[in-house]
Amino acid sequence: MDNSALRITAFLARLLTAFGFFPWLARLMFGQRIAAVMALTWKAAFRFRLFIVIVGLLLAAVVGLPLLIKDDGTARGFTQILLTYTLSTITALLGLSTLWLACGTLARDIEECQIQMVVVKPIARWQIWLGKWLGLMSLNAALLAISGLSVFLLLQWRATQLPEAEQKILHNEVLVARASAKPPTFENELEKETEERLKVALERTPVSPGEIPLLRQQIREGLKASAQNVPPGWQQSWEIDLGFAKNFIRDRPLYLRVKFNTAEKSPSGTWDVLWQVGVPQETKFWQTERPMSLAPDTFHEFEVPPDLFDAAGKLTVTVANPNPVSLLFTMEEGIEVLYREGGFGLNFARGLGIIFCWMALLATLGLAAASFLSFPVAAFASVAALMVVFSAGTLASAVTDGTVMGVDSESGVRGYSVVDAVAIPVFKGILVVINMAKDYSPVEALSAGRSITWLELARAFVQIVLVLGGILAVFGIWAFTRRELATAQSNQ
């Protein structure tokens, strides 16, 4: 970003402040005391030129990445560059800057004895802490709005440069908010049948109590396989309930997103699959004229004609397997129907809302650490906590294996460590906390054209901001309230 652009950004920020709109709004919403602390947080960001630097980096990521990394000319390649990479980069830059400023704005004020000039005023410490958090969040809101609007406008402009066929794919499968429906999992029926068969098996062949969980798991997986498996030369049907969506998706095409697994590899790397959607003589019917050649362990998406469901909104999908091996369509991700639910603009805004919730949590984490630690230690502790989040996959593998030593890939023998009794329960607890925030991934949903509903945004706000952030905020305010500020400098 050149100097002129930086000067323009700084001028606009000062112009908005000069008019006094944001300070007036802050005083109206939070009161004079908290608004004053918010203003000090903004001044600190401009004093360290953080706002200007981050705006420059964000706009450089938005504009520079698509120029440096060329897409393959397809709608999906285009989306991978402009949505996945840019939004991921924006999230990472905002996250790191939020942690750095959250730790610095409070810890440095304490270390440099500037906070004493504030606490002697008629203002409670919790108001100081809350004012700094609100200042950080208003700063994040401005940065996220600038970068998000830049991505949206660039996306719309660059989309016009794609070939016409790819533009159609882009607007039907990516620049859209699509909801999904899956076949029922029949979990209750599956558990009931598993227990019944387990009881019969134990009556025939008694086993030790320690072997019962493994036997139950084997019976359950066998029942799941029978519901998911399509044997050679056979066909399997799944009935998908579209629910209330049947009333607003008539005359609109649907999309099947499928994935299957096989026990053997094909010389060509693909297997033939025949598809039928609908029920002959009962609904509109569609089928593939020739087998589709599809690769296993890969998601495939293709369009099917509209109005193939019955009057109750039930869509029947049938798979015919002409191959010499079985095809396994798992209950979790084997068959899925996608349909248009709304437009891209509002869906994109909701996605940015979830990213904003993540920033709120990081701001709370940084302030909580700075409430009782020096700036270097608080920054290190916050970044270490962030690294734990990035290591969630490793933690999940250890929990699945039941040990931190892993499982030997050749023999299948599980390792053992004396710390497993403590580490595995701790890992489970950490994963529960991490998943409360990571379960809502707007980048992946937006790149796939998935709908981010208002309910999902509300749940993300409750779980990430109110629950996780609320716990950290209570601890941070408590620590800051009890901290002896007069001796802070000598204690560092």
Side-chain angles (χ1 to χ4, degrees), residues 421-439:
V422 176
I424 298 304
V426 171
F427 288 174
K428 289 181 179 179
I430 293 175
L431 284 174
V432 170
V433 175
I434 292 176
N435 289 334
M436 288 181 69
K438 289 188 67 176
D439 280 347

Side-chain angles (χ1 to χ4, degrees), residues 459-479:
R459 289 174 58 189
F461 177 78
V462 170
Q463 291 186 194
I464 299 173
V465 181
L466 296 186
V467 177
L468 295 179
I471 294 172
L472 287 174
V474 169
F475 170 76
I477 292 173
W478 173 82

Side-chain angles (χ1 to χ4, degrees), residues 64 70 123 167 207 283 310 378 483:
K70 298 295 183 180
I123 181 173
Q167 287 189 41
V207 299
T283 67
D310 61 20
R483 186 169 183 176

Side-chain angles (χ1 to χ4, degrees), residues 99-115:
L99 276 180
W100 186 88
L101 187 58
C103 293
T105 189
L106 184 59
R108 286 190 177 277
D109 282 358
I110 296 174
E111 293 172 12
E112 297 171 2
C113 297
Q114 296 179 9
I115 198 70

Side-chain angles (χ1 to χ4, degrees), residues 20-37:
F21 173 74
F22 289 128
W24 172 82
L25 184 62
R27 288 193 297 270
L28 181 65
M29 295 179 63
F30 309 111
Q32 178 65 37
R33 298 172 182 177
I34 293 178
V37 179

Side-chain angles (χ1 to χ4, degrees), residues 100-235:
W100 186 88
L101 187 58
C103 293
T105 189
L106 184 59
R108 286 190 177 277
D109 282 358
I110 296 174
E111 293 172 12
E112 297 171 2
C113 297
Q114 296 179 9
I115 198 70
Q116 286 86 338
M117 300 179 62
V118 179
V119 296
V120 295
K121 306 292 183 181
I123 181 173
R125 291 197 186 185
W126 69 266
Q127 291 176 314
I128 298 174
W129 201 98
L130 183 59
K132 287 188 173 294
W133 184 83
L134 289 171
L136 290 171
M137 293 315 301
S138 59
L139 184 67
N140 272 329
L143 293 171
L144 192 59
I146 293 172
S147 55
L149 182 61
S150 301
V151 171
F152 183 81
L153 294 177
L154 184 63
L155 184 66
Q156 300 295 327
W157 174 67
R158 287 285 300 274
T160 60
Q161 301 179 7
L162 289 175
E164 186 175 347
E166 293 299 327
Q167 287 189 41
K168 181 180 178 182
I169 295 174
L170 186 69
H171 288 284
N172 286 336
E173 300 182 16
V174 179
L175 299 185
V176 67
R178 298 187 299 175
S180 69
K182 294 182 179 181
T185 57
F186 300 109
E187 286 293 334
N188 293 334
E189 293 83 352
L190 186 61
E191 292 297 332
K192 181 179 179 181
E193 183 66 19
T194 298
E195 294 302 323
E196 290 178 356
R197 295 200 179 191
L198 177 63
K199 181 179 179 180
V200 172
L202 292 176
E203 290 175 351
R204 292 177 179 175
T205 309
V207 299
S208 64
E211 296 176 342
I212 291 179
L214 178 59
L215 180 59
R216 178 185 288 108
Q217 181 68 17
Q218 291 175 342
I219 294 174
R220 191 177 190 279
E221 291 302 320
L223 291 172
K224 283 184 65 176
S226 63
Q228 302 172 148
N229 190 46
V230 186
W234 287 71
Q235 65 181 31

